[in-house]
């Protein structure tokens, strides 16, 4: 591990907390339910925080994100130790955004007081639905009443920047019921909402069961109706699945969508530094044992980097400014622009000057549009 030395260059820090009380039926994120591993895991994570803090001293960390898994299930003692070590070993900006993911069943007074004490200023609650039968169907172990109580308690403890996760396309879910969930979550006063369509991954319990889900047209109608409801309630639709009140976009997630630099620590965590991507193996025991199994990719080729830039930027409402693309990669953006112009008239893309972006209808078929745009600029030898 070399030394990184860029004076005051911004850096995001992601810490993976791979523990859950139980695994949800749809979840493909790396996590375990063995509480006996928590102590040793925290020790290993603290070691890595010290190591990476020592070589990233020239950076200024302006976002910290504890994700999972379920970080809140670690409890106040371990969370406090992790957050304190981050403050001790990394140079934090005065206005750093520090986010912790929470689940309602593991949110209590002591956890919230500890997070507040250590400078956490943003909470992200996994709510998913306002209907208990839907929650049970996807393996959630909390009720919506517990979610409301958790959010109310967080606000009571001084947290204002609160994000809620919701899912649509659940088994048997109608558009009416989903919009009711959105409305009930809006009543909790969040500053941010992340709304995802359920995707059945083959290796998950729900993926193997393959329950019937609303069809593509029904999910598209629910998505567009949700977008309209949130717009009327003052939310900006700034990324395919993310909505925020003005001034409350997730600064950490914006790093992923802008190809900014970030370090990810923990099994399964990814990093992007100095034009290189690397990740830790999804193996908690190897991580605990100090077997830092890191997949360190070679420097990402220029074409691949510009393709990645297009992919992530086109997930956002800001889209891609072709002048910025040309400046970043010293290329002619004409093939990309021609690909966009070919889609005009279908209400899938739009532009303001040199900035092109997907409409909400375009977001629904974003993968096919992004693939077509990226391929348009691909060197001929790569296309063969």
């Amino acid at each position: 591990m070399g030394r990184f030395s860029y004076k005051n260059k911004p850096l995001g820090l992601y810490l993976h907390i791979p523990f859950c009380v139980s695994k949800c039926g749809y979840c493909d994120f790396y996590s375990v339910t063995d509480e006996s591993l928590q102590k040793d895991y925290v020790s290993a994570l603290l070691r890595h925080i010290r190591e990476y803090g020592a070589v990233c001293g020239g950076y200024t960390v302006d976002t910290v994100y504890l994700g999972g898994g379920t970080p809140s299930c670690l409890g106040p003692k371990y969370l406090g130790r992790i957050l304190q070590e981050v403050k001790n070993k990394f140079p934090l900006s005065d206005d750093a955004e520090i986010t912790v993911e929470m689940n309602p069943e593991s949110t209590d007074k002591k956890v919230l007081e500890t997070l507040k004490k250590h400078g956490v200023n943003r909470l992200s609650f996994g709510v998913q639905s306002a209907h208990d039968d839907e929650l049970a169907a996807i393996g959630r172990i909390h009720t919506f009443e517990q979610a409301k109580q958790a959010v109310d308690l967080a606000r009571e403890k001084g947290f204002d920047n609160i994000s809620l996760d919701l899912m649509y396309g659940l088994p048997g879910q109608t558009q009416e019921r989903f919009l009711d969930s959105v409305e009930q979550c809006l009543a909790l006063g969040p500053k941010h909402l992340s709304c995802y369509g359920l995707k059945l991954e083959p290796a998950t319990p729900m993926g193997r069961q393959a329950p019937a889900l609303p069809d593509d047209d029904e999910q598209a109608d629910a998505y567009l109706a949700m977008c309209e409801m949130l717009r009327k309630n003052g939310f900006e639709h700034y990324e395919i699945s993310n909505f925020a009140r003005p001034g409350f976009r997730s600064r950490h997630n914006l790093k992923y969508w802008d190809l900014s630099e970030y370090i990810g620590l923990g099994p399964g965590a990814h990093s992007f530094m100095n034009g290189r991507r690397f990740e830790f193996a999804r193996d908690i025991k190897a991580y605990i044992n100090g077997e830092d199994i890191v997949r360190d990719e070679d420097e990402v080729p220029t074409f691949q980097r510009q393709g990645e830039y297009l992919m992530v930027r086109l997930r956002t409402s800001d889209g891609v400014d072709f002048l910025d693309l040309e400046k970043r990669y010293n290329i002619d953006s004409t093939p990309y622009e021609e690909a966009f112009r070919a889609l005009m008239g279908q209400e899938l893309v739009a532009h303001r000057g040199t900035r092109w972006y997907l409409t909400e209808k375009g977001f629904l078929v974003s993968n096919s549009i992004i693939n077509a745009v990226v391929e348009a600029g691909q060197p001929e030898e790569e296309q063969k």
Side-chain angles (χ1 to χ4, degrees):
M1 179 171 57
R3 175 173 289 275
F4 304 108
S5 55
Y6 298 93
K7 187 175 181 181
N8 296 325
K9 191 173 183 182
L11 179 70
L13 176 63
Y14 174 82
L15 303 176
H16 191 60
I17 310 300
F19 295 98
C20 288
V21 177
S22 67
K23 290 281 288 184
C24 298
Y26 58 87
C27 183
D28 192 41
F29 290 114
Y30 181 71
S31 67
V32 299
T33 58
D34 187 352
E35 290 184 18
S36 70
L37 296 174
Q38 289 185 0
K39 180 180 178 181
D40 290 339
Y41 178 73
V42 171
S43 294
L45 183 60
L46 293 176
R47 170 179 57 82
H48 252 168
I49 290 171
R50 290 190 288 270
E51 290 178 1
Y52 277 84
V55 298
C56 293
Y59 283 87
T60 297
V61 172
D62 59 353
T63 67
V64 180
Y65 196 105
L66 275 67
T70 309
S72 52
C73 79
L74 270 187
K77 183 175 91 171
Y78 289 146
L79 287 172
R81 288 178 62 189
I82 292 168
L83 291 164
Q84 185 61 50
E85 198 71 350
V86 168
K87 287 194 287 186
N88 290 343
K89 302 303 179 183
F90 282 92
L92 291 181
S93 65
D94 292 338
D95 65 343
E97 175 194 84
I98 305 177
T99 303
V100 176
E101 290 184 346
M102 314 282 287
N103 270 356
E105 73 279 356
S106 53
T107 299
D108 59 32
K109 177 181 176 181
K110 288 184 178 180
V111 166
L112 290 167
E113 288 175 346
T114 296
L115 298 183
K116 193 69 177 176
K117 174 184 174 182
H118 288 281
V120 174
N121 50 27
R122 185 174 184 273
L123 301 178
S124 178
F125 285 95
V127 176
Q128 314 311 352
S129 172
H131 301 282
D132 290 349
D133 58 335
E134 291 180 350
L135 292 171
I138 59 176
R140 303 292 289 183
I141 59 174
H142 64 85
T143 65
F144 185 60
E145 181 60 32
Q146 285 177 294
K148 290 193 291 184
Q149 291 173 0
V151 172
D152 288 343
L153 183 59
R155 191 162 282 113
E156 180 185 316
K157 293 300 176 182
F159 291 95
D160 178 57
N161 191 354
I162 294 174
S163 177
L164 306 180
D165 286 357
L166 276 172
M167 298 182 75
Y168 62 90
L170 304 182
Q173 186 185 60
T174 63
Q175 178 177 315
E176 182 180 20
R177 286 198 105 204
F178 171 63
L179 294 180
D180 180 68
S181 285
V182 177
E183 189 171 4
Q184 291 198 58
C185 284
L186 286 173
L188 299 179
K191 293 294 193 287
H192 186 281
L193 286 168
S194 295
C195 304
Y196 303 96
L198 174 62
K199 183 179 179 181
L200 297 180
E201 301 290 351
T204 64
M206 288 188 70
R208 292 189 289 270
Q209 294 162 6
L213 305 180
D215 64 31
D216 289 346
D217 288 340
E218 291 173 309
Q219 292 196 41
D221 289 344
Y223 176 84
L224 294 174
M226 169 194 68
C227 293
E228 179 66 17
M229 176 182 285
L230 294 179
R231 183 163 45 248
K232 288 180 177 178
N233 279 274
F235 282 77
E236 299 171 341
H237 189 182
Y238 73 101
E239 193 270 345
I240 290 178
S241 303
N242 286 275
F243 305 78
R245 293 199 179 279
F248 288 92
R249 298 183 180 191
S250 169
R251 287 165 50 195
H252 184 82
N253 286 342
L254 284 170
K255 289 184 179 292
Y256 304 144
W257 303 323
D258 194 36
L259 291 188
S260 296
E261 293 187 305
Y262 58 91
I263 285 286
L265 303 181
H270 295 248
S271 300
F272 181 58
M273 296 281 290
N274 291 342
R276 301 172 71 90
R277 294 195 180 279
F278 55 95
E279 63 186 271
F280 289 97
R282 291 163 61 110
D283 186 336
I284 188 172
K285 292 186 177 178
Y287 190 86
I288 288 172
N289 292 333
E291 302 168 21
D292 298 341
I293 306 173
V294 179
R295 200 180 102 191
D296 192 354
E297 299 182 358
D298 292 333
E299 177 138 3
V300 182
T302 299
F303 172 72
Q304 187 176 333
R305 289 177 67 186
Q306 68 196 43
E308 287 181 355
Y309 180 73
L310 286 164
M311 287 183 215
V312 292
R313 292 302 302 166
L314 290 175
R315 290 185 58 88
T316 72
S317 60
D318 292 334
V320 175
D321 187 321
F322 284 129
L323 290 181
D324 178 56
L325 183 70
E326 291 181 345
K327 182 179 178 181
R328 279 182 180 239
Y329 302 108
N330 192 30
I331 61 166
D332 178 6
S333 65
T334 301
Y336 296 120
E337 187 170 352
E338 289 176 347
F340 270 105
R341 291 195 180 280
L343 295 167
M344 292 290 286
Q346 301 179 50
E347 299 184 341
L348 300 176
V349 302
H351 75 102
R352 294 193 186 101
T354 59
R355 183 172 70 85
W356 288 79
Y357 56 94
L358 305 190
T359 64
E360 287 177 338
K361 287 185 179 179
F363 279 159
L364 288 168
V365 289
S366 60
N367 287 343
S368 59
I369 294 176
I370 291 170
N371 286 339
V373 171
V374 171
E375 288 176 4
Q378 191 169 349
E380 290 186 9
E381 60 271 20
E382 295 288 336
Q383 296 181 30
K384 295 177 181 178

